[in-house]
Amino acid sequence: MTKIKIPTYLSGSDVSSLHTMGTLRAWLEIDTPHKWLRWSGYQEWFDLWAMPETQHDLKGFFDRFLKEKQNDWVEKTPRVRMTALQFGDKDPIEDIVVEDWPIPSTKYVEAHLGEGGKISLEKPVPESSEVTYDTSESEGGAIFKHKFTEKTRIMGLPKAHLFMSCPDHDDMAIFVSLQKLDKDGDLLKHVQVPIERRWIKKFKDMPASDHTGVLVHPGSLGMLKASHRSIDRSRSIHEQFPFHPHD
């Protein structure tokens, strides 16, 4: 992507299970000052083909750079527009104008996994503990929770640094999911179409058969095989975005 030097309109989202980080890598690597990033809160096909405002925005870009129409698209369009998901029965907050991505003003916070399934923003006491689970069970896994005491926006690159072992095997596949719970502790998910255009108005009324990756977003997901954990820091494009050579 470093060889791309033409004006570029980039659009992506957290919510699609198909295309996510590639758009952000492109933003960092494409070698042109004429590039714009618009992050969406909806499924990419819906966003591109079913939302008139998206089509209008994209048409303005094409008119300017393909037809050379002297419109005001460049002057009026922010270089980076992000989206914050709210989950449940709330639409995402779109068109959040930021200066760049990753957002330079991001405050990176270390959160420590501790005993009792807690996440602490301070180093836990004792500093060493152990959690086990049975991978043969369909609901097997380790769950850690943190309750926010004030309104907080998480936007950017979460990274997990884990120490794990499996006594019966010499390798394992690791899945890490970052999810949001409501005040009662129930799991919230993000529906990838606006509320006024949903086929079911209340999220909790949505049947399980509709909870597919292209319709419902459960939260950010990371996956890696333990044997592929090596990192080539010379090729990492951000400290929070390590490059795995998979060797």
Side-chain angles (χ1 to χ4, degrees):
M1 288 189 284
T2 58
K3 296 181 180 180
I4 297 174
K5 301 182 185 297
I6 60 172
T8 308
Y9 182 110
L10 292 157
S11 179
S13 72
D14 297 280
V15 299
S16 172
S17 56
L18 305 175
H19 313 116
T20 50
M21 291 303 295
T23 304
L24 299 174
R25 281 189 55 232
W27 169 255
L28 292 169
E29 294 183 354
I30 288 176
D31 185 20
T32 174
H34 303 296
K35 59 182 177 180
W36 287 263
L37 173 63
R38 184 185 63 84
W39 206 241
S40 172
Y42 300 115
Q43 206 280 338
E44 58 205 67
W45 302 323
F46 181 91
D47 176 66
L48 281 172
W49 309 121
M51 299 188 70
E53 53 270 50
T54 298
Q55 297 174 13
H56 177 78
D57 194 44
L58 189 57
K59 182 178 183 296
F61 171 81
F62 285 145
D63 281 348
R64 174 66 182 85
F65 289 105
L66 291 182
K67 296 183 177 181
E68 297 185 343
K69 288 185 177 181
Q70 296 306 308
N71 56 19
D72 58 358
W73 192 89
V74 171
E75 291 74 21
K76 284 190 172 182
T77 306
R79 291 185 74 241
V80 182
R81 290 169 285 172
M82 299 304 292
T83 288
L85 305 181
Q86 300 196 89
F87 292 85
D89 293 318
K90 294 182 179 179
D91 280 327
I93 302 169
E94 295 206 293
D95 289 327
I96 302 170
V97 177
V98 296
E99 59 270 39
D100 201 351
W101 193 93
I103 303 171
S105 58
T106 301
K107 179 184 177 183
Y108 293 98
V109 176
E110 280 194 358
H112 303 269
L113 308 181
E115 288 185 321
K118 293 183 178 180
I119 297 175
S120 172
L121 302 186
E122 305 290 337
K123 282 196 173 182
V125 180
E127 291 190 9
S128 177
S129 61
E130 186 177 281
V131 174
T132 63
Y133 59 92
D134 186 350
T135 60
S136 66
E137 298 177 359
S138 61
E139 299 298 321
I143 298 175
F144 299 89
K145 297 180 182 180
H146 176 74
K147 186 174 182 178
F148 290 92
T149 57
E150 57 186 350
K151 193 170 184 177
T152 303
R153 175 176 287 171
I154 301 175
M155 183 179 291
L157 289 164
K159 181 178 67 176
H161 189 187
L162 304 173
F163 297 87
M164 303 177 69
S165 64
C166 180
D168 298 326
H169 300 280
D170 60 2
D171 203 358
M172 55 183 170
I174 300 162
F175 296 80
V176 176
S177 182
L178 187 62
Q179 299 178 325
K180 183 177 181 178
L181 309 179
D182 65 13
K183 58 183 176 59
D184 298 318
D186 295 326
L187 176 63
L188 291 171
K189 296 184 181 182
H190 170 70
V191 183
Q192 300 181 33
V193 294
I195 289 175
E196 74 272 9
R197 297 181 67 174
R198 290 184 191 175
W199 57 105
I200 292 175
K201 297 306 178 185
K202 288 290 184 181
F203 165 72
K204 290 187 176 181
D205 294 335
M206 190 175 295
S209 59
D210 284 346
H211 285 229
T212 66
V214 293
L215 288 177
V216 176
H217 173 64
S220 299
L221 177 68
M223 60 191 82
L224 187 68
K225 207 163 188 179
S227 57
H228 288 225
R229 69 192 181 281
S230 63
I231 295 172
D232 184 348
R233 298 194 182 279
S234 67
R235 299 174 69 184
S236 298
I237 57 179
H238 191 273
E239 178 60 30
Q240 290 290 112
F241 191 177
F243 181 87
H244 296 281
H246 298 291
D247 56 1

